[in-house]
Amino acid sequence: TNLDESVLFASYPWIGYSIHELRRRRKPIGSFITAHIVQVIVYYSLYNAAQVVWSMWLYDKSISTSLEVCLFGMMLFWEYFSLVFVRSHASIKFFPRACFVYFIGFHLYFFYYARGFYGFSAIALALFMLHAMLYTVSELEVAALTRGEISIENPRANYIELPWPTWSASMPPTYTLFMTPNARVRGIYEDEVPLRPPNREDGLRRRRNAANSASEMVGLENGDVDIEGQN
């Protein structure tokens, strides 16, 4: 339906626009969809392989397997949370740094003690991260939405601006996953209003008001002198 296609265009433009163009030209879309499904399977396999390698490198201790699953699950949850909720400039600056500090703190404890309370430290890490998520949504995102920093037209305040033009329906380059945002969308209340240049009428009006004020001051002084003379 049209609603389903609109949702697909908005969520995955590199898929939705391509399907729309293939249908408009009366071309088959089966091979296109199959190629994307195979790509997802390959990327997921690479992700699982990397997860095994990272487990061998970082967690080469006599620990429970559930701890590794818990840590990787928290990282996956952080990724989805950032994708959905971390949109304002303040959230983009705060939440990744908070994740990094908490994650490094857990691993410092993990590597410093040979047999520590890893399960309790993982629970503490999850609670700290839950607090950071609640703070991000309630204090940063709501305020940004209220002042117009994020909207339907600008769903994210910070973004990566490429130095060359690209088609809006094309997939972003893979290396941009590792780049920091280099551009920012300013809210409607953050734009500086330029001062209006003075015109001739304003200058005449200011000089006229200054002359009237000066004449009133002179009149008051003369009145004071006459009253003193009468006394």
Side-chain angles (χ1 to χ4, degrees):
T1 61
N2 294 332
L3 179 59
D4 295 335
E5 291 184 358
S6 300
V7 173
L8 184 63
F9 292 166
S11 303
Y12 307 99
W14 54 89
I15 297 178
Y17 284 111
S18 300
I19 292 177
H20 176 73
E21 287 296 323
L22 289 173
R23 286 179 175 175
R24 190 176 65 85
R25 299 179 183 182
R26 301 182 183 277
K27 300 290 185 179
I29 63 174
S31 60
F32 177 79
I33 296 178
T34 303
H36 277 277
I37 293 176
V38 172
Q39 183 181 16
V40 170
I41 294 175
V42 171
Y43 282 176
Y44 184 74
S45 302
L46 293 175
Y47 173 79
N48 285 335
Q51 182 174 340
V52 173
V53 173
W54 282 107
S55 299
M56 296 173 57
W57 288 349
L58 296 179
Y59 309 116
D60 189 15
K61 286 186 178 182
S62 178
I63 60 174
S64 174
T65 309
S66 60
L67 179 62
E68 300 178 8
V69 176
C70 178
L71 293 175
F72 284 113
M74 279 192 288
M75 287 188 286
L76 187 64
F77 189 67
W78 300 339
E79 181 182 359
Y80 286 141
F81 179 84
S82 301
L83 180 65
V84 177
F85 293 103
V86 179
R87 298 180 176 274
S88 65
H89 177 70
S91 298
I92 293 174
K93 290 185 64 177
F94 165 76
F95 187 73
R97 289 174 172 82
C99 290
F100 179 77
V101 170
Y102 294 151
F103 202 66
I104 291 299
F106 170 82
H107 283 82
L108 289 177
Y109 174 81
F110 180 84
F111 290 114
Y112 187 77
Y113 295 98
R115 295 185 178 274
F117 297 96
Y118 303 138
F120 288 107
S121 59
I123 294 175
L125 173 63
L127 293 177
F128 276 117
M129 289 309 308
L130 179 61
H131 175 266
M133 292 176 184
L134 294 176
Y135 174 79
T136 300
V137 174
S138 61
E139 297 295 332
L140 303 180
E141 289 299 318
V142 173
L145 182 62
T146 303
R147 64 174 176 266
E149 182 180 353
I150 54 177
S151 59
I152 297 178
E153 293 78 13
N154 300 310
R156 202 173 299 274
N158 292 24
Y159 59 95
I160 297 175
E161 185 178 18
L162 298 177
W164 53 81
T166 58
W167 188 37
S168 59
S170 61
M171 292 188 65
T174 307
Y175 65 86
T176 56
L177 293 171
F178 310 100
M179 289 181 60
T180 56
N182 55 7
R184 179 187 175 189
V185 175
R186 302 185 64 88
I188 57 176
Y189 298 107
E190 296 179 345
D191 294 334
E192 298 181 358
V193 180
L195 298 176
R196 186 180 64 176
N199 51 26
R200 186 172 180 274
E201 295 181 358
D202 292 338
L204 294 175
R205 188 181 300 108
R206 284 196 297 268
R207 286 195 293 270
R208 190 181 302 111
N209 293 335
N212 293 334
S213 300
S215 62
E216 292 177 359
M217 292 290 295
V218 172
L220 291 175
E221 292 177 358
N222 292 336
D224 295 339
V225 172
D226 293 340
I227 292 173
E228 292 178 357
Q230 291 177 3
N231 291 336

